[in-house]
Structure formats: structure tokens, C-alpha cells
Amino acid sequence: MTADQVARKVTDLLAPQVLVIAMPPTVGLIAQGWAGAVWGLLASVLCGGVPAAVIAAGVRSGRLDSHHIVDRARRTGPLLAAVVAVLVALVLLVVLGAPDLLVATVTAMLVALAVTVPITLRWKISFHAAVSAGTVVVLAHVLPPAPTLLAGAAVVALVCWARVRLTHHTPGQVLAGALAGTLTTWATLAAFGVT
């Protein structure tokens, strides 16, 4: 397998949609068993499934270049759909009495979007890097922190390498994404007092 093929596989397997769909039920299951997984599934369908469906429809119609939305100018509509979907998920989780960890996790997604969406309108910050870094921070709250952060840092570095290798981002854009994902997620979980 060539370096470009590896980069494409990493980009697809660790795409923001994949992580946002997989992470909430996984975190819910680890933290609170099957009941937590069900709450996580609700968050997953809204926060990840709805934006993924919007992007898939855009790709099928030809409005979007791929599910990675390489053309920054085409990101606005799908990102607005993601913001609305995350807001709806957050309201539902709060109203229905979801566990604090999942409410905090979805809030962190919203905060990360509030930071990265305005940036991407002017500069192509990496959502792959932001979402992978944020996912590591959340997982470090439900798994042993030191090994999770160490392994997670390696995965985030791999994602960043893949995005640069495919020339979809510059090193600065992936670094900015990773920092935005890490800091917004950490700050949000800290504000919720999630330990």
C-alpha cells in the first residue's frame, strides 16, 4: 500500500462523520452501560447521522465534491445543518434528562463548531483534526487517561499527516484544528465538572 493509499484510508476511517457517529454510544456504553449507549445513540443519530445525510445528498446531487468537502466554499450549508442538528440533540438530551457526560459531550461539539465554523469561512481549518482531537479528550474521561491520551495523540498525528499528505490541508491548518478540538472539548468538559 502506498503512502497516499494509507492517507486515504486514514482520512475515510477517521472522518469527522465516522467519529461523531461512533463516539457518543461508545462513551455512553463505557460510562453507564447499555442505558448510556442508548442515550449516546440518540446523540449519534442527530449529531453525526443528520449532517452525514446532508453531505451524502450534496455529493449525490453534485453540489459537494466528496463527503470530506475539500472545497472550503461548499462547507457552509453542511456546517449549518450540523450546527442545527447538534442544537436539536442538545435540547433533546437536556429535556429528556440524559446523563451529564453526554450532555457535556454534545455541548463540546457545539462549542467546537462555534469556534471552527467562522474560521473555515475564511481559512480552511481541519475538521478531521479538530474532531479526532476532541474525541481523544472525551475518551480520556471514560478510559484510563494516560494511555488514552498517548494513543490518542498518535492517532491525531496520523490524521493530521494524512490530511497534509493528501494536500487537503497545510500543517498549520491541521495544527489549528487539533488545538481547537482539544481546547474547546477540554474547556467544555471542565465547565461541566465532568471527571
Side-chain angles (χ1 to χ4, degrees), residues 40-190:
L41 190 58
L42 172 63
S44 173
V45 167
L46 291 169
C47 298
V50 169
V54 168
I55 291 168
V59 171
R60 275 194 308 276
S61 71
R63 289 189 321 271
L64 300 176
D65 50 42
S66 75
H67 65 281
H68 299 300
I69 316 176
V70 176
D71 180 2
R72 180 180 55 84
R74 303 283 183 176
R75 288 181 167 188
T76 306
L79 287 172
L80 290 176
V83 169
V84 170
V86 172
L87 273 170
V88 169
L90 185 57
V91 168
L92 280 175
L93 291 173
V94 169
V95 168
L96 296 174
D100 287 345
L101 177 60
L102 284 170
V103 172
T105 298
V106 172
T107 302
M109 291 178 194
L110 187 60
V111 172
L113 284 169
V115 169
T116 55
V117 168
I119 293 171
T120 203
L121 296 177
R122 296 196 169 273
W123 187 65
K124 194 177 170 191
I125 193 168
S126 174
F127 284 93
H128 275 76
V131 173
S132 63
T135 299
V136 170
V137 173
V138 173
L139 288 174
H141 279 76
V142 295
L143 295 170
T148 302
L149 290 172
L150 188 60
V155 171
V156 172
L158 181 64
V159 168
C160 291
W161 166 82
R163 302 305 287 158
V164 172
R165 174 72 192 193
L166 296 173
T167 66
H168 292 177
H169 290 287
T170 65
Q173 291 166 340
V174 294
L175 179 60
L179 287 173
T182 299
L183 295 175
T184 56
T185 304
W186 178 83
T188 305
L189 296 181

Side-chain angles (χ1 to χ4, degrees), residues 1-13 161-162 165-166:
M1 201 180 299
T2 68
D4 284 350
Q5 289 172 321
V6 171
R8 275 191 286 279
K9 292 260 188 230
V10 168
T11 288
D12 288 340
L13 290 173
W161 166 82
R165 174 72 192 193
L166 296 173

